[in-house]
Amino acid sequence: MVETQDQRKHLAQSKSIGRCIVSCIFVFLTQSVLSLVPRFFSASAFLTQLALSALLLLLFLGFGGWCRRRLLQVRASAPAFVFFNILFIWGFYVSVIRQAVPLLNDAVFSSEVVFLVIGLYSILTSDPGIVTNGSASSDQPLNSSVSQVDNHDEVLELPCHESTEGSGLGTRVRYCRSCKAYIKGLDHHCPAFGKCIGQNNHLLFLILLFGFISTEASYLVCASLFAAKSGILNRPSMEPTLSENLAVSTILFTILQLVWQVVFVIWHIYCVCVNIRTDEWINWKKYPEFHLVVQRQPGQSFANIRFRNPYHKGILQNVEEFLALRA
């Protein structure tokens, strides 16, 4: 029995290492493909290069992911993909960009990269709020079989000592199909981190998002200083070097990341202000407390069900409850 457990543990570690290696290779391929845009379209406008980079990134990630899963039949690690992208950008910064950056900007960006790595480790090792079977001290999560998944989309009432009076968050327990566990205050299952975002790590998730935005903005400043010093954008007729191609492509990549991350942060701030989770917004028809039944009108076969948010009490109170539950 001991040998079997050791073998399983060794197999799991081998699979994790293999997925990390695949993610590392995929990061280098992604960045190499993006560097083709400034290589062959250096004479094009910057917005044109940005649009081409977005299209190329979507095509490569989609087609590359399909080939990896269907043809090569290998799996990658999404958290490792995020980590190696951070490592790639930081490595390129140290080897190329840093020489043109003032000491203050260098210190700020390096500190932010360290913060991102620590934050990524913290979010990956955090407990999103898994509800255990029985008392809060139990170590067994409320897992369910695959055949019973459809029955686990409803609200699960917590024991009285875990509820939070007034906010409703203490009893808003949802079932995550990816983790196969009940999560308190489930917002969503984050594919980038391979982790549920729930009541216990939602604030950490938001801080990490702001960290990504701040770090990427700092990199844009540093890379722009390098571009201005080297004159990359002022001599489109000359063939750029590999480092110059990567400088421009990483700028394009960073801008694309900033666009969706800023929108994502705005969405989460809105959710905090109105006291609703992403899962509840998307799947509100599964949760009866969000149903507002409109009486059937003459000639109608069924009553209309509209959305209502029973937890919204005011922006300030919602934010205070959000912070209080995570204190």
Side-chain angles (χ1 to χ4, degrees), residues 101-122:
V101 176
L103 183 61
L104 179 60
N105 296 80
D106 177 48
V108 170
F109 178 71
S110 299
S111 301
E112 289 173 333
V113 170
V114 172
F115 168 81
L116 277 189
V117 174
I118 296 175
L120 185 60
Y121 174 80
S122 300

Side-chain angles (χ1 to χ4, degrees), residues 39-84:
R39 171 68 177 82
F40 293 104
F41 298 93
S42 58
S44 302
F46 186 79
L47 289 178
T48 302
Q49 294 186 41
L50 186 64
L52 289 173
S53 297
L55 180 61
L56 190 61
L57 186 63
L58 290 175
L59 290 175
F60 179 77
L61 291 179
F63 181 72
W66 180 84
C67 291
R68 175 176 52 79
R69 292 188 300 269
R70 300 293 183 181
L71 300 181
L72 301 178
Q73 295 184 349
V74 293
R75 298 184 64 183
S77 170
F81 185 79
V82 174
F83 172 76
F84 284 120

Side-chain angles (χ1 to χ4, degrees), residues 161-266:
H161 65 274
E162 294 190 12
S163 64
T164 302
E165 183 178 357
S167 69
L169 280 174
T171 55
R172 288 157 73 177
V173 181
R174 315 300 183 191
Y175 184 77
C176 175
R177 296 172 183 267
S178 300
C179 296
K180 295 182 173 60
Y182 290 98
I183 309 295
K184 287 189 293 184
L186 174 66
D187 185 86
H188 69 286
H189 183 88
C190 182
F193 300 144
K195 189 86 173 181
C196 277
I197 306 303
Q199 178 174 308
N200 292 357
N201 63 356
H202 198 176
L203 181 60
L204 176 61
F205 174 75
L206 288 178
I207 294 174
L208 189 57
L209 275 181
F210 279 108
F212 271 101
I213 292 174
S214 176
T215 306
E216 289 158 355
S218 293
Y219 180 78
L220 282 181
V221 173
C222 295
S224 298
L225 291 173
F226 172 81
K229 185 176 180 180
S230 59
I232 301 173
L233 303 179
N234 297 328
R235 45 185 175 86
S237 58
M238 297 180 61
E239 184 175 341
T241 63
L242 177 60
S243 61
E244 291 174 343
N245 285 333
L246 286 173
V248 177
S249 66
T250 52
I251 289 175
L252 296 170
F253 176 77
T254 304
I255 292 175
L256 293 176
Q257 295 299 309
L258 274 173
V259 169
W260 76 264
Q261 287 173 4
V262 168
V263 174
F264 202 48
V265 165
I266 292 173

Side-chain angles (χ1 to χ4, degrees), residues 292-306:
L292 176 62
V293 180
V294 181
Q295 292 185 352
R296 186 175 57 185
Q297 300 295 326
Q300 289 184 337
S301 302
F302 302 97
N304 293 325
I305 298 179
R306 298 180 181 177

Side-chain angles (χ1 to χ4, degrees), residues 148-156 173-178 186 278-292 305-308 311:
Q148 295 175 324
V149 164
D150 291 337
N151 298 324
H152 294 305
D153 289 324
E154 304 300 330
V155 179
L156 177 68
V173 181
R174 315 300 183 191
Y175 184 77
C176 175
R177 296 172 183 267
S178 300
L186 174 66
T278 302
D279 173 74
E280 294 171 341
W281 182 273
I282 296 174
N283 301 311
W284 66 271
K285 292 184 178 180
K286 296 180 180 179
Y287 309 126
E289 70 267 33
F290 291 95
H291 294 179
L292 176 62
I305 298 179
R306 298 180 181 177
F307 171 83
R308 74 179 182 95
Y311 302 114

